[in-house]
């Protein structure tokens, strides 16, 4: 008689990044904690200047696209206690444990850059057409939310069908609710676009999945 199968022991600490298990997420999270502490305790006038300098608005994207795209991803809108911080930790940890740090970074970066351009280019065109005032070129826009939304969309493709679908339905429902409130339509459309980018990456991230037993 074969020995009874061992029951899997829950390991909840695997949900959070560690230096060995998810080094990219752990290091990125440490950087976000540092910038959040700066945002909490620094002079408000200084923080206003830093946020404006890190903003991925049309004017900054035309002047220095690469530095500003990097700088904008070093701040958490709403601080380290915002809901996106928790989603960042859980989603990127899970994605990194399945695909590795460099590929997780690539997914995050693709979402952050593409969603930013998809939301800011129409603003620039609307200003040129006279549909928006020139002040729209300096719209304050920074944070990790586009990259997080893309990473969540990509992760859903690595989960079993029902958990993945439920994750998409729940997160997509929140994004649609935000869009209906018209609080910040441009960012809300950007979040939906980011989620769609993550879904479009399913074929690639599935090939990267280190837990997939198929050859």
């Amino acid at each position: 008689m074969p020995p009874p199968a061992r029951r899997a022991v829950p390991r909840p600490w695997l949900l959070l990044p560690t230096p060995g298990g998810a080094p990219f997420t752990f290091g990125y999270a440490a950087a976000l904690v540092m910038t959040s502490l700066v945002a909490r305790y620094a002079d408000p006038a200084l923080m206003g200047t830093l946020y404006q300098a890190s903003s991925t608005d049309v004017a900054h994207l035309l002047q220095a696209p690469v530095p500003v795209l990097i700088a904008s991803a070093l701040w958490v809108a709403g601080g380290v206690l915002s809901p996106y911080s928790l989603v960042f930790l859980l989603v990127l940890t899970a994605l990194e444990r399945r695909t590795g740090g460099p590929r997780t970074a690539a997914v995050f970066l693709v979402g952050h850059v593409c969603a930013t351009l998809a939301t800011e280019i129409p603003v620039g065109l609307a200003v040129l057409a006279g549909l928006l005032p020139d002040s729209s070129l300096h719209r304050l826009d920074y944070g990790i939310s586009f990259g997080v939304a893309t990473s969540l969309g990509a992760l859903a493709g690595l989960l079993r069908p029902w958990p993945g679908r439920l994750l998409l339905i729940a997160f997509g429902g929140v994004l649609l609710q935000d869009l209906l409130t018209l609080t910040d339509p441009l960012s809300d459309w950007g979040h939906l676009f980011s989620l769609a980018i993550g879904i479009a990456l399913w074929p690639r991230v599935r090939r990267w999945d280190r837990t997939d037993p198929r050859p």
Side-chain angles (χ1 to χ4, degrees):
M1 179 180 297
R6 293 183 178 180
R7 181 177 298 179
V9 179
R11 294 180 290 177
W13 59 87
L14 293 180
L15 297 174
L16 298 176
T18 59
F24 166 71
T25 306
F26 185 87
Y28 197 171
L32 292 175
V33 169
M34 294 299 295
T35 58
S36 295
L37 289 174
V38 171
R40 181 176 180 85
Y41 295 108
D43 180 76
L46 172 62
M47 288 312 306
T49 301
L50 289 175
Y51 285 146
Q52 190 61 57
S54 303
S55 175
T56 49
D57 52 54
V58 177
H60 281 128
L61 287 173
L62 289 174
Q63 295 169 2
V66 174
V68 78
L69 282 166
I70 295 173
S72 68
L74 295 176
W75 304 99
V76 182
V80 74
L81 297 180
S82 72
Y84 269 103
S85 296
L86 179 60
V87 176
F88 168 90
L89 288 176
L90 297 178
V91 169
L92 265 73
T93 297
L95 188 60
E96 183 170 1
R97 289 185 184 278
R98 285 175 172 266
T99 65
R103 289 166 174 170
T104 299
V107 170
F108 185 95
L109 184 62
V110 166
H112 177 66
V113 172
C114 291
T116 297
L117 296 178
T119 52
E120 294 298 338
I121 288 176
V123 171
L125 295 176
V127 171
L128 286 176
L131 301 176
L132 289 175
D134 290 348
S135 59
S136 299
L137 299 176
H138 303 277
R139 171 183 173 272
L140 191 63
D141 187 16
Y142 63 90
I144 61 173
S145 58
F146 288 171
V148 171
T150 298
S151 300
L152 186 146
L155 176 64
L158 300 179
L159 303 177
R160 293 179 180 178
W162 275 112
R165 291 170 187 171
L166 290 175
L167 180 63
L168 288 179
I169 291 172
F171 189 66
V174 171
L175 298 184
L176 288 173
Q177 184 178 6
D178 290 343
L179 185 61
L180 292 175
T181 63
L182 298 177
T183 302
D184 189 356
L186 200 61
S187 292
D188 295 335
W189 277 114
H191 293 144
L192 286 171
F193 186 72
S194 302
L195 185 64
I197 294 173
I199 295 172
L201 291 173
W202 280 5
R204 184 166 296 276
V205 295
R206 283 170 173 166
R207 289 197 297 270
W208 292 344
D209 188 2
R210 299 184 300 194
T211 65
D212 190 342
R214 293 171 298 180

